[in-house]
Amino acid sequence: MNTFVYPALFHFNENDGSYTITYPDLPGCVSEGKSLENALYMAQDALKQWLECTIEVGQEIPAASRVEEIAHEQGEFANLIRAELKDDRAVRRTVSIPKWMYDAATDANLSLSRVLQDALRERLGAQ
């Protein structure tokens, strides 16, 4: 799992109490939240999506600025946001199961890969 931490700039919108979120280091990474709690959630989600897209297209991810270096105006504040990216690439592994279990799974039209993934997610408490 890769962990990224970037400073986000939160701008309070007085007209409706929402927050606009931008990332000075990440061009085009913008979001908004209806409340501070929602804005923090949306900031993390936007960061994660921006990073995943950038990695997917093979672009370089810029270095993060220090939060203390982020200039802000009245009604704004900078906050660090953390995102964890999982490597979802498939890995081929050989597993052994009893023949009767293989036959029963085949008859039930089950994907052994899916069953194993589901079981591991449950056992590991992963999403």
Side-chain angles (χ1 to χ4, degrees):
M1 191 171 316
N2 293 322
T3 301
F4 297 86
V5 178
Y6 278 87
L9 190 61
F10 290 74
H11 174 81
F12 180 68
N13 301 306
E14 291 185 22
N15 58 337
D16 64 0
S18 68
Y19 290 84
T20 301
I21 307 131
T22 58
Y23 285 88
D25 299 316
L26 308 176
C29 188
V30 178
S31 191
E32 74 176 325
K34 295 180 180 184
S35 65
L36 182 55
E37 180 181 359
N38 181 245
L40 289 167
Y41 172 81
M42 297 301 289
Q44 186 178 43
D45 189 57
L47 174 59
K48 184 178 177 184
Q49 288 184 32
W50 191 95
L51 291 166
E52 287 173 342
C53 182
T54 301
I55 290 168
E56 186 176 309
V57 299
Q59 293 182 343
E60 187 174 324
I61 296 174
S65 297
R66 294 174 40 94
V67 70
E68 300 85 8
E69 298 171 351
I70 304 300
H72 56 280
E73 299 175 8
Q74 184 75 20
E76 295 181 332
F77 67 93
N79 194 49
L80 292 174
I81 303 297
R82 176 182 174 198
E84 293 183 353
L85 302 184
K86 294 179 182 176
D87 187 349
D88 285 333
R89 292 178 292 176
V91 177
R92 194 171 283 276
R93 298 286 302 175
T94 301
V95 297
S96 298
I97 60 172
K99 171 85 165 90
W100 70 265
M101 201 178 281
Y102 173 79
D103 291 340
T106 300
D107 290 345
N109 205 24
L110 294 174
S111 162
L112 293 179
S113 291
R114 172 59 58 200
V115 169
L116 178 58
Q117 288 177 41
D118 292 345
L120 286 171
R121 271 192 198 92
E122 182 178 327
R123 177 68 64 92
L124 298 172
Q127 298 178 14

